[in-house]
Amino acid sequence: MIEIIAKGTFKPNCVEIFKQLAHEMIVKTRQESGCVFYQLCRDASDPNTFVFVETWHDQAAIDAHNQSPHFTTIVPQLADLLAEPMEVKLYTIIE
Amino acid sequence: MIEIIAKGTFKPNCVEIFKQLAHEMIVKTRQESGCVFYQLCRDASDPNTFVFVETWHDQAAIDAHNQSPHFTTIVPQLADLLAEPMEVKLYTIIE
């Protein structure tokens, strides 16, 4: 399994739009067979910063997600809302 | 519920010692009643960097964890193994 932590800081006036788009992404992503876990969290000290905490079965599941209609439709829309580029980190699960 | 993502980069010759201490921390922390989820991950692009991905019922659960014998015994030992200070971030779970 592979863990992804994807962190984004959004322009203050774009946070509500982001949350709407994120909700659509979450609902559809959780339906993917390769998705084990997919959660959105908000930084307790910065209301404009969010992280997606994601667990995937394997790289093939991530590749399928990255090519899904919801990913390819929603992610480009997020780009305009960001205050700085997203930081996407991959991790292997130790235990 | 509260999410914690705690990131640490360790000295290369200290990684195996860290993993042993982390294992003890994980086994004992998962027994805490306020702990919902506690997982250790390794950065796929930097084998010396790890994150704990943690979910807690509430702040009282985190406070109890921080005062637990395993936390107060193990965390000071980790300090000597780190290449730089740990980064501990708290998040609220949106969905």
Side-chain angles (χ1 to χ4, degrees), chain B:
Chain B
M1 291 205 293
I2 301 172
E3 192 85 0
I4 292 181
I5 299 176
K7 180 178 176 179
T9 299
F10 295 86
K11 299 168 189 165
N13 63 337
C14 295
V15 165
E16 287 309 311
I17 306 169
F18 161 69
K19 285 170 69 180
Q20 290 172 29
L21 289 168
H23 174 71
E24 186 181 342
M25 179 75 105
I26 291 162
V27 169
K28 292 182 175 169
T29 298
R30 286 178 178 161
Q31 294 170 3
E32 293 182 54
S33 60
C35 177
V36 178
F37 183 79
Y38 196 83
Q39 183 173 261
L40 178 65
C41 301
R42 186 177 210 162
D43 190 320
S45 62
D46 176 3
N48 301 324
T49 295
F50 295 79
V51 290
F52 287 95
V53 179
E54 313 175 13
T55 308
W56 297 91
H57 276 303
D58 51 25
Q59 186 59 50
I62 296 172
D63 293 343
H65 173 61
N66 290 347
Q67 292 165 20
S68 68
H70 44 283
F71 188 95
T72 58
T73 305
I74 294 171
V75 169
Q77 295 180 67
L78 298 185
D80 291 336
L81 312 178
L82 286 161
E84 53 193 70
M86 281 196 83
E87 178 192 284
V88 181
K89 299 285 286 179
L90 268 72
Y91 297 89
T92 53
I93 295 171
I94 300 295
E95 72 173 293

Side-chain angles (χ1 to χ4, degrees), chain A residues 52-82:
Chain A
F52 288 96
V53 179
E54 314 175 13
T55 308
W56 297 92
H57 276 302
D58 50 27
Q59 186 58 51
I62 296 171
D63 293 343
H65 173 61
N66 290 347
Q67 293 165 21
S68 67
H70 45 282
F71 188 95
T72 58
T73 304
I74 294 170
V75 169
Q77 296 179 66
L78 298 185
D80 291 336
L81 312 179
L82 286 161

Side-chain angles (χ1 to χ4, degrees), chain A residues 23 40 42 44 90 92 94-95, chain B residues 40 42 44 90 92 94-95:
Chain A
H23 174 71
L40 178 65
R42 188 177 210 162
L90 269 70
T92 53
I94 301 294
E95 70 174 296
Chain B
L40 178 65
R42 186 177 210 162
L90 268 72
T92 53
I94 300 295
E95 72 173 293

